[in-house]
Amino acid sequence: MEGEEPIEAEGTEVLEAEPKNILLSLLSQLSLGMDLSRVTLPTFILEPKSFLEKLTDFMTHPDLVLNASSLETPYDRLKALTRWYMSGFYIRPKGVKKPYNPILGEIFRASWDHGDSKSFYVSEQVSHHPPVSAFYGSNRPAGFVLNGSIFFKSKFGGNTVAAILDGHATIYMLNYDETYVLTFPTAYARGILWGTLLMELGGNVSIKCEQSEMRSEIEFKTKGFFGGDYNQVAGKIIHKKKTLYTFNGKWDKQLTGKGHKDKKEEVFWDPYGGMSQSNLKMNVRPISEQEDFESRKLWQGVSKGLIANDQEAATDAKCAIEGAQRQAVKDREEKGIVYEPRYFKLNEEGEWEYKWFDLTKWDAQDCAAKEEYEEDGEIKVRAK
């Protein structure tokens, strides 16, 4: 709006005239509620990483989830898992940037070395229409396995675009025979037509453990039109119907909480307060050793263009990838070939599951004698 004061919030961005005009021209072709999964977006709103890699933001502090798998009580484990879950949201680029939409068959693999064990992550784009990303993580020496999938949907709402992460992840605490099912908030890009571009998270999510009958309920709050603040979140840990712990604050800054028994307030999570090992290195193979469909190699031309602020080069590289994908779809259709994912399959419940899904427990003797490793997307076991 003319004369509108700029919004004072971290992560905001004001577009220059040319990209703003390009975006307005694109949006003029859309209708309210339209699904944007088939809409080609301009490169200047892209973050230089694939959505498959973006999911590893939740493993920026893997020590938090590994710590949860060693705690004695269901309450302590759920509290630690909730802290780990909240640690995945503060990492974001300035303004409104979205990761690349993975193409069918795209893969991303990574690992983290904790010293006494390693965590492995394998992900794959198992469907393109609708877009579904499947992922698996394993550190069985530490008693932790993760399996999940996300159906990414985006909808146009006038001055807002909503990115809906429909799906869930299941965490398996092997040493306690517990499963924790967690869901994800919706991301909103505000200021598409007028005002300042910014990103908000909104909606209600949960982390539920069927075995202990405990759950975390978390509400990501969007700013009201006439008041309130950005990036607010509030949550509680519940056993059956009894609230045991509550927390609130900003999801990109500090969260404080207190137990309902001792009423003592504490810092529940602070990304800048030394609560976790900072910047534990994520190990990814060099691009020279990656397959053509591995995320960083596949999108390297686009990423180089974005980092150099060369939108023309980024756009050319992006169009080449998308054109090759359309041709591959056409070729499969002409030959009657049904695409089959490499690393994931649909299970009897109709959910995507890692083909080498393994919940075998490791005891102290196992941990001393063998180790996990990943080869060609398969997480295997070998003698130390």
Side-chain angles (χ1 to χ4, degrees):
M1 294 180 183
E2 188 175 352
E4 183 178 18
E5 291 295 321
I7 294 172
E8 295 184 1
E10 290 190 15
T12 61
E13 178 182 18
V14 178
L15 287 180
E16 297 178 0
E18 182 178 357
K20 185 76 172 182
N21 289 336
I22 293 172
L23 189 57
L24 290 174
S25 176
L26 171 66
L27 295 176
S28 68
Q29 306 170 42
L30 307 179
S31 58
L32 291 178
M34 182 176 178
D35 183 356
L36 302 183
S37 63
R38 295 177 183 266
V39 176
T40 300
L41 298 175
T43 54
F44 63 79
I45 67 167
L46 295 177
E47 179 183 2
K49 66 171 64 174
S50 172
F51 181 67
L52 295 181
E53 181 175 356
K54 183 67 176 175
L55 288 170
T56 63
D57 285 356
F58 284 96
M59 289 301 286
T60 303
H61 304 285
D63 51 302
L64 292 177
V65 72
L66 297 187
N67 176 58
S69 66
S70 66
L71 299 176
E72 292 186 0
T73 70
Y75 167 74
D76 288 332
R77 290 192 289 275
L78 180 55
K79 183 179 176 182
L81 269 182
T82 304
R83 179 180 292 117
W84 163 76
Y85 178 84
M86 295 307 305
S87 76
F89 294 105
Y90 75 96
I91 304 164
R92 55 177 175 153
K94 181 181 178 181
V96 177
K97 304 291 184 184
K98 69 175 295 298
Y100 309 137
N101 292 330
I103 68 170
L104 184 64
E106 181 181 333
I107 59 176
F108 182 78
R109 300 178 287 170
S111 65
W112 296 261
D113 191 341
H114 310 285
D116 56 351
S117 68
K118 293 182 179 180
S119 298
F120 296 92
Y121 169 84
V122 177
S123 58
E124 179 179 6
Q125 192 71 5
V126 293
S127 173
H128 188 62
H129 290 305
V132 179
S133 304
F135 49 93
Y136 183 81
S138 181
N139 187 330
R140 285 190 290 148
F144 167 82
V145 168
L146 166 73
N147 191 90
S149 62
I150 292 177
F151 170 18
F152 182 89
K153 298 183 290 185
S154 53
K155 292 196 173 183
F156 177 58
N159 199 40
T160 298
V161 172
I164 304 164
L165 304 182
D166 189 6
H168 63 268
T170 302
I171 294 173
Y172 300 84
M173 292 292 184
L174 305 183
N175 298 332
Y176 302 98
D177 295 317
E178 290 176 339
T179 58
Y180 295 81
V181 179
L182 56 92
T183 56
F184 305 95
T186 295
Y188 296 95
R190 312 287 194 192
I192 301 297
L193 297 178
W194 64 81
T196 304
L197 273 173
L198 60 87
M199 190 272 286
E200 285 192 284
L201 297 177
N204 296 300
V205 302
S206 63
I207 306 172
K208 297 180 179 179
C209 178
E210 180 181 356
Q211 292 79 12
S212 67
E213 297 184 89
M214 300 190 72
R215 68 189 185 277
S216 289
E217 295 181 351
I218 305 167
E219 180 187 5
F220 289 85
K221 302 177 180 180
T222 57
K223 183 181 180 299
F225 190 78
F226 295 106
D229 203 355
Y230 289 100
N231 305 339
Q232 294 291 315
V233 66
K236 53 188 175 181
I237 296 174
I238 302 169
H239 179 230
K240 296 182 178 179
K241 296 183 178 181
K242 183 178 181 181
T243 298
L244 304 179
Y245 189 87
T246 56
F247 63 90
N248 62 77
K250 289 195 170 188
W251 51 258
D252 60 337
K253 293 184 179 179
Q254 186 184 90
L255 301 175
T256 58
K258 61 182 178 180
H260 277 218
K261 182 177 291 187
D262 57 21
K263 304 291 185 181
K264 182 180 179 181
E265 187 170 281
E266 64 180 358
V267 176
F268 179 62
W269 166 245
D270 187 342
Y272 310 106
M275 294 188 68
S276 174
Q277 298 175 14
S278 60
N279 299 321
L280 184 62
K281 182 181 178 182
M282 179 173 70
N283 300 305
V284 181
R285 291 174 180 81
I287 287 178
S288 60
E289 298 177 13
Q290 293 183 16
E291 299 179 19
D292 291 342
F293 268 45
E294 291 200 59
S295 296
R296 290 189 178 179
K297 185 171 185 177
L298 176 69
W299 295 98
Q300 63 177 322
V302 185
S303 297
K304 287 179 180 177
L306 292 177
I307 293 169
N309 199 27
D310 187 342
Q311 299 300 330
E312 184 176 354
T315 299
D316 289 345
K318 180 172 178 285
C319 289
I321 293 170
E322 293 169 344
Q325 176 172 245
R326 285 191 292 269
Q327 185 60 49
V329 171
K330 182 180 178 182
D331 292 344
R332 283 194 298 270
E333 289 177 348
E334 290 177 351
K335 297 176 183 178
I337 298 174
V338 177
Y339 178 80
E340 181 180 342
R342 291 174 61 182
Y343 304 143
F344 294 84
K345 62 182 180 180
L346 286 172
N347 61 20
E348 294 179 353
E349 287 75 39
E351 297 182 350
W352 289 101
E353 184 178 276
Y354 185 59
K355 290 183 178 180
W356 300 280
F357 183 75
D358 193 341
L359 298 181
T360 305
K361 296 179 185 179
W362 285 34
D363 58 22
Q365 186 175 354
D366 292 323
C367 294
K370 56 188 181 180
E371 64 181 3
E372 288 185 309
Y373 71 104
E374 181 264 314
E375 183 177 43
D376 296 330
E378 180 180 355
I379 298 175
K380 302 179 180 180
V381 177
R382 65 188 173 196
K384 286 186 176 179

